[in-house]
Amino acid sequence: MSSRRPEPLAQVSDFDIRLLRIFRSVVECGGFSAAESVLGIGRSAISQQMSDLEQRLGLRLCQRGRAGFALTEEGREVYQSSMQLLAALESFRTEVNGLHQHLRGELNIGLTDNLVTLPHMRITHALSRLKALGPDVRINIRMTPPSEVEQGVLDGRLHVGVVPQTVALSGLEYQPLYDERSLLYCAVGHPLFYADDAQLSDARLNEQEAIAPTFRLPADIQAQYQVLNCSASASDREGMAFLILTGRYIGYLPDHYATFWVQQGRLRALKPTARFYDLSLASVTRKGRRPHLVLESFLEALAATS
């Protein structure tokens, strides 16, 4: 007897939404085991919930077993759709709560890596102020590359982001936050670590193996990398730090981020008065966004820290 394909999902119940929230956590944690502490339930319970969701949808969402956790093609599509659904639900809840002028709901914020070492701490202070205004507000921070932050704000998965200010994307609003300076560094073990800056020629610097970023930067900053012998790449500043600390490469890092290793004597800046660039960081929100009391409260707190 042939198996009958389940009927399409007729309606989305509260039970389905709960299962989709669990599915979101499993995907973002990278598997069942990693999601246990986030969800506060055991692996077997998570597995059962995922089986229930797959049965409800009539789709295989993920592979699990000795080979590890991996989404199927259908699972990736369901994940993207569920993110849009949950974001819409959160937007609805926030709007209704706004009618009562009571600060509840979520703030989903996407950040470029390694901003926590900035001395101004504007984001930290604004989040603290938001939590003081609304003790019930849930803050969700996602550390992702700048392009993913911007896309997340555009499609509604993120309420706000903080990214390097390069070419502005249509549909987004940018508000300047910080300026940070990046210097050219090498680590202990590199041939230039003990070199005298006064005798360090540009030609010698440019022939050293260096690291190129794969994230977007303004054209004038990209020019700083084009003169270097870039034989490696990194998707974020932490990846660049990993490679510089091998003692095999030179590369640019924000000075506030590199300070820890400089003070330890593990990094040094090369010709810091000549080899540097300044980068502006900005908060980013979606143009024409619907009213969102939590987001507006955070943006007001952010403006108050300037």
Side-chain angles (χ1 to χ4, degrees):
M1 186 172 71
S2 61
S3 60
R4 184 156 97 56
R5 184 176 180 82
E7 293 294 330
L9 198 62
Q11 63 181 23
V12 179
S13 66
D14 289 344
F15 179 64
D16 295 318
I17 292 171
R18 184 169 68 84
L19 293 180
L20 288 171
R21 290 186 188 278
I22 292 173
F23 176 55
R24 177 182 67 177
S25 294
V26 170
V27 173
E28 293 179 350
C29 291
F32 293 3
S33 297
E36 287 183 277
S37 59
V38 173
L39 295 171
I41 57 177
R43 182 174 177 177
S44 60
I46 295 173
S47 179
Q48 181 60 54
Q49 305 272 26
M50 287 300 92
S51 296
D52 290 343
L53 180 59
E54 289 176 330
Q55 186 173 3
R56 287 280 296 162
L57 299 177
L59 297 169
R60 182 72 168 172
L61 300 179
C62 58
Q63 306 290 342
R64 55 263 205 189
R66 293 183 179 177
F69 174 85
L71 285 177
T72 62
E73 185 62 34
E74 292 84 359
R76 282 190 285 272
E77 292 186 19
V78 169
Y79 173 70
Q80 292 300 327
S81 296
S82 67
M83 293 296 289
Q84 294 174 16
L85 170 63
L86 295 174
L89 287 172
E90 176 57 29
S91 178
F92 171 78
R93 182 173 69 170
T94 301
E95 288 179 31
V96 172
N97 287 337
L99 297 175
H100 302 282
Q101 293 297 299
H102 188 66
L103 211 54
R104 290 179 181 169
E106 294 183 342
L107 178 73
N108 297 323
I109 177 172
L111 301 179
T112 301
D113 68 314
N114 299 310
L115 298 183
V116 71
T117 51
L118 276 162
H120 308 298
M121 296 184 69
R122 288 187 63 186
I123 299 168
T124 303
H125 293 323
L127 290 173
S128 175
R129 185 184 177 103
L130 175 67
K131 195 62 178 173
L133 291 170
D136 295 329
V137 169
R138 180 182 177 88
I139 298 170
N140 303 309
I141 292 182
R142 296 179 190 168
M143 307 299 297
T144 57
S147 60
E148 293 182 21
V149 172
E150 290 171 316
Q151 185 57 48
V153 174
L154 276 172
D155 63 28
R157 288 180 289 119
L158 297 173
H159 298 124
V160 61
V162 178
V163 297
Q165 192 159 8
T166 55
V167 178
L169 298 183
S170 62
L172 295 178
E173 293 180 342
Y174 297 81
Q175 292 296 327
L177 281 181
Y178 302 105
D179 286 318
E180 66 173 14
R181 173 159 292 191
S182 289
L183 304 176
L184 187 62
Y185 290 94
C186 71
V188 171
H190 193 277
L192 300 187
F193 189 78
Y194 295 107
D196 184 351
D197 273 343
Q199 318 228 330
L200 198 52
S201 68
D202 286 337
R204 190 177 178 196
L205 269 179
N206 295 342
E207 70 184 9
Q208 305 299 314
E209 288 195 78
I211 309 149
T214 59
F215 47 89
R216 284 192 306 143
L217 288 170
D220 60 328
I221 294 177
Q222 288 285 7
Q224 301 257 20
Y225 289 93
Q226 289 168 0
V227 299
L228 297 175
N229 173 28
C230 292
S231 60
S233 66
S235 64
D236 50 47
R237 282 99 69 94
E238 185 170 354
M240 300 183 82
F242 267 111
L243 289 172
I244 295 169
L245 287 165
T246 66
R248 302 290 181 175
Y249 301 91
I250 63 173
Y252 285 97
L253 290 175
D255 55 5
H256 62 85
Y257 179 50
T259 295
F260 172 76
W261 293 294
V262 171
Q263 291 176 343
Q264 284 189 331
R266 297 177 62 191
L267 285 184
R268 65 157 288 195
L270 300 166
K271 301 187 74 171
T273 59
R275 291 297 185 106
F276 68 88
Y277 64 78
D278 295 322
L279 180 65
S280 295
L281 295 157
S283 65
V284 56
T285 52
R286 187 170 56 182
K287 289 181 180 177
R289 61 186 181 273
R290 302 174 75 179
H292 190 295
L293 187 58
V294 173
L295 173 58
E296 303 311 323
S297 298
F298 171 72
L299 292 177
E300 288 175 10
L302 197 58
T305 64
S306 60

